[in-house]
Amino acid sequence: MKKLLEALKDGKVKKVILDTDVYNEIDDMYALAYAMLSPDKVELLAITAAPYFNSRSTSPADGMEKSYQEALRVRGLVDPNSNIPVYRGSTEYLPSRTEAVESEAADAIIRLVKESKETVYIVAIGAITNVASALIKAPEIADKAVVIWLGGHALHWKDNKEFNLYQDVPGAQVLFDSHIPLVQIPCNGVCSFFHTTIPELSYYLEGKNPLCEYLMDETRKYNKHNKPCWSKVIWDVTAVAALVRPDTLDMVAIPRPIITDNSNYATDWARPHYLYVRHIKRDALYDDLFQKLVSVK
């Protein structure tokens, strides 16, 4: 894990695949824009659409398709001339730990990792289905890739029913049981500190460009009751920050937990280590994010 931590902080441009359920939450929109606006640290090879199922979709397949379309929309707002490929992902979750879900996204992940002469960093900010399917179909990609996943809650949290993990528990088990180098950014208890407010967003982003206006409009929709003290966590930006601003994340190497069938953590001190994020430097990361969002012409 020392080598992985050193690689994250070496300042070199990383080849990246962003796996995202971007229509599910506004944070994915910010994260995609942040990745595209950080070419000094991120070479975005592809965007892959992840499935999700909640009030903003009728099924995992519908959530994936909406995310595919939203990825195209945000890509165009950041750069109308961008040709970064976008792939449709899984239409369902893993039926078991040994059965992959076929998709363009899983195949693209396998192909891009195998073709690359450098390590490919898979930044996953949704259900891990596409990535887990790629690992089941081609486990050898674990030797040439790294996964940075925003999923699960903090190890000390009262439960582990976090949206990204709980949707596809077998997928999370595949990920944690594989030997692929892994960075986990937990949600409640760690990333939940990374919140902002409408007044703050308005101060920095209001009227700057069409991208900022779109992000502002979408964020306002979440404050349905127009509460004056309302705040919103922009979760997924932190996963991109592991490559763009690793200095804003406090990472520690610990044994990988076992993901149980009911989504809880179990401890086995003999398990291989991974990098666990335990704190986020909120102000420095938001400063970098806002500067890049307003830079779009």
Side-chain angles (χ1 to χ4, degrees):
M1 287 299 101
K2 182 180 179 181
K3 289 184 178 180
L4 175 56
L5 188 58
E6 290 174 348
L8 291 173
K9 296 183 176 182
D10 65 11
K12 297 179 181 178
V13 178
K14 305 294 193 297
K15 295 186 180 297
V16 176
I17 299 169
L18 183 65
D19 188 67
T20 171
D21 57 349
V22 64
Y23 192 78
N24 168 48
E25 262 253 48
I26 55 170
D27 54 331
D28 296 75
M29 302 173 190
Y30 284 87
L32 173 53
Y34 190 42
M36 290 183 64
L37 292 168
S38 304
D40 60 324
K41 297 293 177 63
V42 170
E43 179 186 346
L44 198 52
L45 302 178
I47 304 161
T48 53
Y52 74 89
F53 179 39
N54 60 16
S55 61
R56 291 175 63 86
S57 68
T58 59
S59 67
D62 179 57
M64 182 279 296
E65 181 61 28
K66 286 177 175 175
S67 292
Y68 172 80
Q69 298 297 336
E70 186 66 18
L72 294 172
R73 183 179 299 110
V74 175
R75 184 189 69 174
L77 285 168
V78 177
D79 180 5
N81 299 313
S82 174
N83 59 1
I84 298 169
V86 183
Y87 297 99
R88 287 182 169 89
S90 307
T91 57
E92 59 182 333
Y93 305 124
L94 289 192
S96 74
R97 302 188 202 187
T98 60
E99 299 173 85
V101 179
E102 297 293 335
S103 70
E104 290 180 352
D107 290 343
I109 290 169
I110 294 169
R111 175 176 55 80
L112 290 168
V113 171
K114 287 186 173 182
E115 289 177 352
S116 178
K117 295 180 180 179
E118 302 172 29
T119 299
V120 174
Y121 292 79
I122 305 168
V123 177
I125 51 179
I128 202 68
T129 314
N130 294 333
V131 180
S133 294
L135 285 167
I136 292 170
K137 294 181 66 174
E140 65 272 17
I141 67 172
D143 297 324
K144 297 184 62 181
V146 171
V147 172
I148 299 166
W149 187 43
L150 185 131
H153 291 319
L155 294 173
H156 67 271
W157 201 251
K158 62 180 181 179
D159 62 51
N160 203 27
K161 293 183 179 180
E162 183 276 323
F163 186 70
N164 288 349
L165 187 151
Y166 204 60
Q167 289 182 97
D168 192 349
V169 173
Q173 291 171 328
V174 169
L175 176 65
F176 277 76
D177 290 347
S178 74
H179 67 273
I180 195 166
L182 174 62
V183 180
Q184 182 192 13
I185 304 173
C187 292
N188 283 341
V190 177
C191 192
S192 49
F193 182 67
F194 191 68
H195 54 78
T196 187
T197 64
I198 294 297
E200 181 179 45
L201 291 173
S202 181
Y203 180 83
Y204 288 104
L205 305 183
E206 193 85 63
K208 300 299 183 181
N209 54 51
L211 170 66
C212 288
E213 285 297 298
Y214 181 69
L215 293 173
M216 284 290 308
D217 289 345
E218 292 300 304
T219 305
R220 283 193 180 97
K221 292 176 183 178
Y222 275 76
N223 187 11
K224 296 178 181 178
H225 302 291
N226 199 30
K227 295 180 179 179
C229 295
W230 179 86
S231 65
K232 180 73 179 73
V233 181
I234 311 297
W235 311 91
D236 292 336
V237 167
T238 60
V240 178
L243 299 175
V244 178
R245 287 294 304 270
D247 59 301
T248 65
L249 305 183
D250 179 16
M251 295 176 270
V252 61
I254 59 174
R256 297 181 188 227
I258 297 167
I259 306 297
T260 66
D261 289 343
N262 62 358
S263 84
N264 289 327
Y265 295 123
T267 302
D268 179 350
W269 294 104
R271 298 258 286 183
H273 283 56
Y274 77 129
L275 291 180
Y276 175 85
V277 174
R278 57 185 178 182
H279 178 68
I280 296 163
K281 297 177 182 177
R282 183 254 183 219
D283 294 352
L285 182 49
Y286 266 119
D287 181 63
D288 192 44
L289 173 65
F290 291 156
Q291 288 188 46
K292 288 176 178 175
L293 292 176
V294 302
S295 72
V296 175
K297 303 302 181 182

